[in-house]
Amino acid sequence: MWSQIIAASWAFTACAAAPLLARNFPAGQCVVDVKIETCGDFNCKLDGYHRIDAFLTQRIEANEIKVIEEGKEAPEGTGWYPAPHSAHEGVTDQGGPTLWSRRDYDLQQAGKVVDLVVVRPGRWANSTEDFVRSSVNLGLGEAAGAVAFEDYREYDSVSSGWIYLEYTVAGPRDPITDVQVVACSGDSVGAHCGNELLGKGWKRRDTDLNGPTANGSHIYIFTTTQLQTNRECVTSLKVVDDENDKTVSVNLNDGTTGDELYLEVTKARDEDCITSIRPIDTSRYFAEPWYDVVTDSNGQPADVNAGIGSADPIFIYTSKLVERPRKEPIKLSFSSDGTFRIALFSDLHHSHHSAICRDVPEQIEADCSEEYSFAFMGAVLDHTEPDLVVIDGDLYAENDRKQDKTTYPQLTDGAIVKAIRPIIERGIPFAVTYGNHDAEGSLLREEIQRAMDIQPGFVGSRGLNQLDGIGNYKLDITKSKDSEDIAHRLWFFDSRSYTYFGNGTNSGDYGRVEQSQVDWYSANADASINAMAFFHIPVAQISDAIGLNTTARIGVHGESVCPQGNGCSNTPKLDDPYVSLFDAFVNAGDVKATFSGHDHSNDYIIEAQGIQLTYDGSAGYTAYSAGDANYNREMRVIDVAEHGKTVSTFKIIDDILAGTVHRNESEPIVTLF
Ligand SMILES: *[C@@H]1O[C@H](CO)[C@@H](O)[C@H](O)[C@H]1NC(C)=O
Ligand SMILES: *[C@@H]1O[C@H](CO)[C@@H](O)[C@H](O)[C@H]1NC(C)=O
Ligand SMILES: *[C@@H]1O[C@H](CO)[C@@H](O)[C@H](O)[C@H]1NC(C)=O
Ligand SMILES: *[C@@H]1O[C@H](CO)[C@@H](O)[C@H](O)[C@H]1NC(C)=O
Ligand SMILES: *[C@@H]1O[C@H](CO)[C@@H](O)[C@H](O)[C@H]1NC(C)=O
């Protein structure tokens, strides 16, 4: 059950939005590039760059790397050390990686500024879709820094101590100027396929087009944005089976029993350029609305694995989006009859690759796929017509196919698309919290948040930089469409992943909402506004042993409770600081009910000190259910009425053997308050 921590580091955001930068940099200049260089000593200089004396090989525990003005004191804190520092563990005795930033007025005018920097352990891709990776490995040589990633090493078959700094820029995306396909077999396993191109301006799209189930070569698409002399960019891709039409000569089905397939790449001068290409392994084709699926010669979506035995379908998508889509703010308000309905789903556990179903009745086992989760969500959304959808964490989770980590790298990209697709297809506003599994794949919380931020209908937000976790925010529901009066409030907290000792060792306990988040909540809570709170990992008070009145419990207690700051047990510890969130709710008096997922086989409601602590139940067919093969996937409807004064809830189950989706009539509709 345990996995690794991934260091997520915020550095700075787009110039205009970042008071930190506005204060620290001369007016009109923004960070447009970030570099890491290894230096022999601390006096090294890099022309045109400003040096930030961050001590990069120290253990990084999701701390910030801050950019401050040259000559100013570095703030205290782990991960941020003033130079010079003689005891530079890890890389060399003298010097080591130094972080540089470049400020530029002209590039900023062109809308290109660095808006996010992350530090993360090395993975299969040297760069992700949006991110540029520095070439310096911060964790090389079993640095002290690697200690924090001890669990990660066990998890990642490829690397040990690979820690890179990556950044991404806001502003127009560069057109893709060329595409090539690389096939590898034998010792040249998936994760290393085409590595020689990386660092030469090529990026690998990290899906093996033959899929792990196709038995052939590893096939990767590489793209570059380096302008060629003829100034042409890629304007379309097509999958063709006629060798004469091919532009890219590698057979996409190399080594498999499938027909020969090739990519036909159309290029033209400076118009209608493709800016993004991504393959997603899925039981049917979809991606965000601004992506188009690559078709075959008949104009049909091209499953590049079609016809190869039982191989997973893989579709390729392209986007011509130049700027990230702008979104109109969405206002949440009560209907004229004073009601507001929330559809709550948790623990979908999607994968980038089509995943294996877990703990399902044997009658559906052979046929079961992620498609079942999409169908359940879709049916519920059509039936209940909610005003807001909440996904309460673990949109992504590594799947049972993880045992083959080389050919099934744990990618997050497609999982996120899958989790939210039934919602964005229907145009419903939605919010999310992140769970302990969400950042265990290829994307950090920061990157998932970044992907979420541009989704149509997404009303969540990152929250304040200085708080622990990503996605601490509140949503206010106004009395009516035309009113600004706040009638009800929804709080969202990041209960994070796991808990670590100061030395970076996994403590064996789950994550928790930290004091910084609790303080933010306490400072902003208003007892006069009824509120509810959503966070993935429940507070310990949800255990019967603590809530005590077991006769008042409604719903199933099917497995032990694995609450914040604890391992799994029915008698969790309540020592400070683990319970501070609950205490803050009691003290502030606004939160009347909380909703959490995490323990898939628990779906009960229990009251503690006047607060209704509620489990969501799990909706994902690819998620475990404590080994109960007859467990029904379920979700919760939350009906807010009387303009926020009262709230009731009931569960909808996917009665998969009966082929119906309906309310669990064995339970009453529960009035929470
Ligand atoms: C890309 O990452 C792999 C490890 O995953 C590493 O072996 C290779 O050297 C990296 N390439 C570059 C150019 O950094
Ligand atoms: C891959 O090979 C195995 C063993 O030969 C076979 O059972 C399986 O059906 C093959 N998969 C595909 C998709 O052809
Ligand atoms: C890290 O700290 C914990 C708690 O103090 C301790 O139990 C553990 O042995 C330490 N591990 C290492 C590798 O120092
Ligand atoms: C427990 O809850 C039940 C149902 O709400 C109630 O009837 C009973 O009085 C409660 N018992 C205690 C000890 O509070
Ligand atoms: C319906 O609710 C009852 C009472 O909580 C529970 O025992 C039962 O397992 C639920 N049924 C399904 C199919 O989830």
Short mmCIF file of all heavy atoms in Angstrom, two decimals, residues 213-215 257 308-311, ligand 2:
data_model
loop_
_atom_site.label_atom_id
_atom_site.label_comp_id
_atom_site.label_asym_id
_atom_site.label_seq_id
_atom_site.Cartn_x
_atom_site.Cartn_y
_atom_site.Cartn_z
N THR A 213 0.61 -5.07 -24.47
CA THR A 213 -0.08 -6.32 -24.77
C THR A 213 0.11 -6.75 -26.21
O THR A 213 -0.42 -7.77 -26.63
CB THR A 213 -1.58 -6.19 -24.49
OG1 THR A 213 -2.03 -5.00 -25.14
CG2 THR A 213 -1.85 -6.12 -23.02
N ALA A 214 0.85 -5.97 -26.99
CA ALA A 214 0.92 -6.29 -28.42
C ALA A 214 2.12 -7.14 -28.82
O ALA A 214 2.24 -7.54 -29.96
CB ALA A 214 0.90 -5.01 -29.24
N ASN A 215 3.01 -7.42 -27.89
CA ASN A 215 4.13 -8.34 -28.13
C ASN A 215 5.16 -7.90 -29.18
O ASN A 215 5.98 -8.69 -29.56
CB ASN A 215 3.63 -9.73 -28.57
CG ASN A 215 2.92 -10.44 -27.43
OD1 ASN A 215 3.06 -10.05 -26.28
ND2 ASN A 215 2.17 -11.47 -27.76
N THR A 257 1.67 -9.07 -34.91
CA THR A 257 0.95 -9.79 -35.94
C THR A 257 0.05 -8.85 -36.76
O THR A 257 -0.63 -9.28 -37.68
CB THR A 257 0.06 -10.87 -35.29
OG1 THR A 257 -0.76 -10.21 -34.31
CG2 THR A 257 0.91 -11.93 -34.61
N ILE A 308 -4.71 -6.59 -33.50
CA ILE A 308 -3.63 -7.38 -32.94
C ILE A 308 -4.16 -8.12 -31.72
O ILE A 308 -4.19 -7.58 -30.62
CB ILE A 308 -2.44 -6.51 -32.49
CG1 ILE A 308 -2.04 -5.56 -33.61
CG2 ILE A 308 -1.27 -7.37 -32.07
CD1 ILE A 308 -0.99 -4.58 -33.19
N GLY A 309 -4.56 -9.33 -31.91
CA GLY A 309 -5.03 -10.16 -30.79
C GLY A 309 -5.85 -9.35 -29.81
O GLY A 309 -6.79 -8.65 -30.18
N SER A 310 -5.46 -9.41 -28.56
CA SER A 310 -6.23 -8.73 -27.52
C SER A 310 -5.52 -7.46 -27.06
O SER A 310 -5.68 -7.03 -25.93
CB SER A 310 -6.40 -9.67 -26.33
OG SER A 310 -5.10 -10.09 -25.92
N ALA A 311 -4.71 -6.88 -27.93
CA ALA A 311 -3.95 -5.69 -27.52
C ALA A 311 -4.88 -4.53 -27.15
O ALA A 311 -5.95 -4.38 -27.72
CB ALA A 311 -3.03 -5.25 -28.65
C1 LIG B 2 1.31 -12.10 -26.87
O1 LIG B 2 1.97 -13.35 -26.72
C2 LIG B 2 1.35 -14.25 -25.80
C3 LIG B 2 2.24 -15.46 -25.65
O2 LIG B 2 2.63 -15.93 -26.91
C4 LIG B 2 -0.05 -14.58 -26.30
O3 LIG B 2 -0.72 -15.42 -25.37
C5 LIG B 2 -0.85 -13.29 -26.44
O4 LIG B 2 -2.12 -13.57 -27.00
C6 LIG B 2 -0.13 -12.32 -27.34
N1 LIG B 2 -0.84 -11.06 -27.33
C7 LIG B 2 -1.28 -10.48 -28.43
C8 LIG B 2 -2.00 -9.19 -28.22
O5 LIG B 2 -1.12 -10.93 -29.54
#
